[in-house]
Structure formats: C-alpha cells, structure tokens
Amino acid sequence: GAGVSQSPSNKVTEKGKDVELRCDPISGHTALYWYRQSLGQGLEFLIYFQGNSAPDKSGLPSDRFSAERTGGSVSTLTIQRTQQEDSAVYLCASSFGTGRNNEQFFGPGTRLTVL
Amino acid sequence: GQQVMQIPQYQHVQEGEDFTTYCNSSTTLSNIQWYKQRPGGHPVFLIQLVKSGEVKKQKRLTFQFGEAKKNSSLHITATQTTDVGTYFCAGAGSYQLTFGKGTKLSVIP
C-alpha cells in the first residue's frame, strides 16, 4: 500500500506570503503529526491530530501557524505571512492509535524556502 | 516540558569500528523509539523499547532501555557504510514523541 504522501515536495515563496502544505496519511491511521526539521537539526513537534481533533497544538511556534484535518484523513498545515525563519523541511507522520505507542510512518517532507 | 538529550551530535568512525549513541530524558518515559534518517531521506522507525532494562537486538544493532526508563542507547557493532545517517531517539510523552536532536554518523571506508 501507499505510504504517507506530502505535497508539494518543494515550495519557494516570498516573505509575507501564505503557504499551504498537504499531508495524506496511510489509510486507516487515526493519528497524524506535523514536525519541522531545520537544516541539520532534530525534529520539532508542531501538532498532533487524533481523528479530526487536535488535542495537542502546543508545538505551533506562533499564531501564523494553523492546521486542520478533515474526514480523519488529509491534513493541511497553513503558514500565514511567512518569515525567513520558517524555512525548513516540514514532515508529516501517521500511525495507528497514538503515535507515542506505535511506530510513526513519515512522509518525504515538504522543503519550504522563504526568500 | 519533557526534554530528550542525545549525544554525541556527530560521530565519525572507520568502517568496522563500533558506534554508540546515548539518549537521556528529563522525565521517566513510558517507552522510547529509535529512528534512522538517511541523508536526504525521512526518518524510518527502527525499534520501540517499553520495559525497564529491556535490551533488543537487530543484527549488528543493540538497543537498551535504562532501568529507570530515563535513558537509552543504540550500539552498532562493526559499522558499515550503509549505517551512515542520523539516528534519533524519541521519548513518549502525553500524546506525542519528543525527539532528540540526533547523532549524525559518518563511516569512513
């Protein structure tokens, strides 16, 4: 079966523009996570969805960041008024149940560059 | 909040040498997971440890979970060039995993 997919794979935008990043999790996975990875750095947790609800939004760095998940499947991460420090690879992961007890399957990521 | 520290940040070894990366949490963990990220790739799950003092092996890789469930290690015996990448530990919190910053392994042929 298909793994986690993300689109676009690369996004170059100008400072101040809004961007939307999409994640298609593995079918049947109820948990979905967004992470940010800056160059050569670790994984920074952004947000966790269980079904369509987000019990943990604690990692969103500012109110410019938001995310939603519809139908318990596809998720969109939106960054408004992008800044240069938003440049990073944004990774999505999904898992059965809660990812804290189960293997997380990562997508290939979206590389965001803010000029 | 929960913090997971991982050392060393970088490790360069000659092919055939052993390699170890260590992970320490500020809080007791319910479980710990290890992931490998190849250069240019995304993290891939290696293993999960749940029990205090647990030791698991995967071929040349040995994973340990400390007795207090606050630390863990990954040891690779006789490294090969295919072992190149960044190894992350991730400790389970309330809902999510807290990832360490990773240890980047380079293997010199």
Side-chain angles (χ1 to χ4, degrees), chain A residues 67-88:
Chain A
E68 63 177 13
R69 189 179 185 193
T70 55
S73 182
V74 172
S75 177
T76 303
L77 176 69
T78 301
I79 309 174
Q80 296 178 309
R81 305 181 302 282
T82 52
Q83 304 293 312
Q84 288 183 333
E85 61 263 28
D86 299 334
S87 296

Side-chain angles (χ1 to χ4, degrees), chain B residues 6 21 23 33-35 45-47 63 72-74 88-89:
Chain B
Q6 198 173 346
T21 173
C23 185
Q33 297 181 10
W34 285 91
Y35 289 78
F45 176 84
L46 293 176
I47 207 161
F63 303 84
S72 182
S73 65
L74 158 59
F88 293 97
C89 63

Side-chain angles (χ1 to χ4, degrees), chain A residues 2-97:
Chain A
V4 178
S5 61
Q6 292 185 244
S7 61
S9 55
N10 280 284
K11 178 70 177 179
V12 180
T13 190
E14 294 180 347
K15 178 181 173 182
K17 301 282 189 181
D18 297 352
V19 295
E20 279 191 357
L21 312 180
R22 176 187 168 107
C23 172
D24 280 273
I26 292 173
S27 178
H29 280 190
T30 57
L32 186 148
Y33 296 78
W34 283 98
Y35 296 91
R36 180 168 70 175
Q37 187 173 33
S38 300
L39 185 63
Q41 298 299 307
L43 296 164
E44 177 188 3
F45 167 78
L46 297 179
I47 189 169
Y48 157 67
F49 287 95
Q50 184 61 245
N52 289 338
S53 64
D56 192 347
K57 303 180 181 180
S58 62
L60 295 177
S62 76
D63 58 8
R64 296 186 295 106
F65 288 72
S66 63
E68 63 177 13
R69 189 179 185 193
T70 55
S73 182
V74 172
S75 177
T76 303
L77 176 69
T78 301
I79 309 174
Q80 296 178 309
R81 305 181 302 282
T82 52
Q83 304 293 312
Q84 288 183 333
E85 61 263 28
D86 299 334
S87 296
V89 175
Y90 289 81
L91 290 161
C92 173
S94 70
S95 72
F96 286 112

